[in-house]
């Protein structure tokens, strides 16, 4: 069970592009038509710090996304690959720009068939 009060999205270089914490949001996801961004998802505790996952911990959590306009952008959860060097245990999204415009998506952290965390706001996505 993850007791999260928010989350942040980081690009491949580790730059924070979006944050939601206790309902307040900063940033947005912006990309070009034809571009695909990989964004890592990090959940935040009640102090706004990243929640660390213990090594060897049983990970039954998963991400779900919904609500986006597929004619503007496609948002997909990156499938977790066993092994590898993912210390965030595969918590990542791929956002692909389809056509110019804006859309948004809801993010949920699922655990044992229910959401441990649901984004308070939809994450804004702008495609240029």
């Amino acid at each position: 069970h993850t007791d999260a009060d928010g989350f942040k999205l980081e690009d491949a270089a580790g730059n924070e592009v979006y944050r939601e914490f206790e309902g307040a949001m900063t940033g947005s996801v912006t990309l070009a038509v034809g571009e695909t961004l990989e964004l890592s998802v990090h959940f935040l505790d009640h102090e706004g710090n990243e929640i660390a996952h213990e090594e060897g911990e049983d990970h039954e959590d998963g991400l779900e996304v919904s609500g986006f306009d597929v004619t503007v952008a496609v948002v997909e959860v990156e499938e977790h690959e066993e092994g590898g060097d993912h210390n965030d245990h595969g918590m990542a999204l791929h956002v692909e720009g389809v056509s110019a415009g804006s859309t948004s998506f809801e993010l949920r952290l699922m655990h044992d068939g229910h959401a441990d965390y649901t984004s308070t706001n939809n994450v804004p996505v702008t495609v240029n």
Side-chain angles (χ1 to χ4, degrees):
H1 179 78
T2 302
D3 186 20
D5 286 311
F7 68 96
K8 63 181 177 177
L9 301 177
E10 292 181 347
D11 64 16
N15 299 309
E16 184 176 301
V17 296
Y18 179 83
R19 173 185 289 254
E20 177 181 292
F21 180 64
E22 295 180 337
M25 54 187 255
T26 57
S28 67
V29 178
T30 304
L31 68 164
V33 172
E35 181 181 7
T36 299
L37 288 179
E38 181 174 330
L39 300 172
S40 58
V41 181
H42 305 275
F43 287 90
L44 306 174
D45 66 16
H46 65 281
E47 294 176 354
N49 299 316
E50 189 174 324
I51 297 172
H53 290 277
E54 300 299 320
E55 195 63 40
E57 187 178 328
D58 185 23
H59 300 298
E60 295 177 26
D61 296 347
L63 295 175
E64 285 186 3
V65 293
S66 64
F68 54 90
D69 181 347
V70 296
T71 65
V72 176
V74 176
V75 183
E76 296 178 321
V77 175
E78 180 183 87
E79 292 302 316
H80 173 55
E81 297 170 15
E82 290 301 320
D85 195 24
H86 277 285
N87 59 3
D88 58 2
H89 63 278
M91 293 274 193
L93 302 174
H94 288 186
V95 182
E96 180 183 353
V98 177
S99 65
S102 59
T103 186
S104 62
F105 64 92
E106 179 181 83
L107 178 73
R108 292 179 302 282
L109 175 63
M110 301 302 291
H111 179 77
D112 289 339
H114 68 273
D116 273 359
Y117 182 82
T118 302
S119 58
T120 307
N121 306 284
N122 282 0
V123 179
V125 178
T126 302
V127 181
N128 298 316

